[in-house]
Amino acid sequence: MAIERTLSIIKPDAVAKNVIGKIYSRFEDNGLKVIAAKLAWLSPQEAGEFYAVHKERPFYKDLVSFMTSGPVMIQALEGENAIAKNRELMGATDPKKADPGTIRADFAESIDANAVHGSDGEDTAKVEIGFFFPAMSVYSGR
Ligand code: IDP
Ligand code: MG
């Protein structure tokens, strides 16, 4: 297995529920290290660009509107197999279908308000980390 990096976002619903720390514990307890982080309130333009891959999907407008409804906690995570590991910790997109013990099963209410984002592959991870963090704000190898 390789050491990878992935982008994670704690979405407005989970930030509002005050569970940033609980979600960070899931990362830390499973070998994922926070190597960059910031709390931000995304503009419609920023959220729209971040989710541009979903532009043609029927839920795009709702997604952008939800992601700009409050502050989000954005972090780059590093660790063994980080991309798949984070997806595993997150659980399925629809919290009703997410395995027990996953972040979405434990903290999310609906497919719209589903607590977390995680990169889905090496290419998207690279692009997504670069979208939010310049190289000088990423601190690896601590
Ligand atoms: P993911 O977050 O599990 O990677 P994606 O398919 O990449 O899921 O979709 C991005 C986000 O768009 C989801 O996390 C969810 O918030 C929203 N979304 C996806 N599918 C639907 C849907 O069918 N209805 C409403 N929102 C959806
Ligand atoms: Mg996705």
Side-chain angles (χ1 to χ4, degrees):
M1 277 195 292
I3 300 285
E4 293 176 338
R5 293 175 177 185
T6 191
L7 186 87
S8 159
I9 303 178
I10 301 177
K11 295 185 178 185
D13 58 321
V15 172
K17 275 187 191 164
N18 203 22
V19 292
I20 291 173
K22 289 197 168 102
I23 293 174
Y24 267 42
S25 291
R26 306 280 175 110
F27 300 148
E28 293 171 350
D29 293 346
N30 288 279
L32 296 178
K33 187 185 273 188
V34 175
I35 57 166
K38 66 179 164 195
L39 194 65
W41 195 321
L42 301 180
S43 70
Q45 192 184 340
E46 288 163 338
E49 196 182 329
F50 180 75
Y51 278 117
V53 61
H54 294 306
K55 211 167 199 149
E56 305 307 324
R57 310 284 284 278
F59 57 80
Y60 178 72
K61 212 167 149 252
D62 288 345
L63 176 60
V64 170
S65 149
F66 173 67
M67 288 301 287
T68 57
S69 65
V72 293
M73 188 72 203
I74 309 165
Q75 45 283 325
L77 304 174
E78 186 176 76
E80 287 278 349
N81 223 9
I83 299 165
K85 169 65 70 182
N86 182 42
R87 296 291 309 192
E88 188 187 312
L89 296 175
M90 287 164 62
T93 306
D94 182 351
K96 287 187 215 68
K97 295 181 184 150
D99 287 342
T102 60
I103 294 168
R104 281 167 166 167
D106 290 346
F107 301 116
E109 304 304 328
S110 68
I111 195 164
D112 301 280
N114 64 359
V116 278
H117 165 86
S119 306
D120 61 8
E122 279 182 51
D123 294 343
T124 46
K126 205 165 182 202
V127 171
E128 289 178 359
I129 291 170
F131 184 83
F132 288 115
F133 300 108
M136 65 165 292
S137 301
V138 178
Y139 305 99
S140 184
R142 282 177 289 129

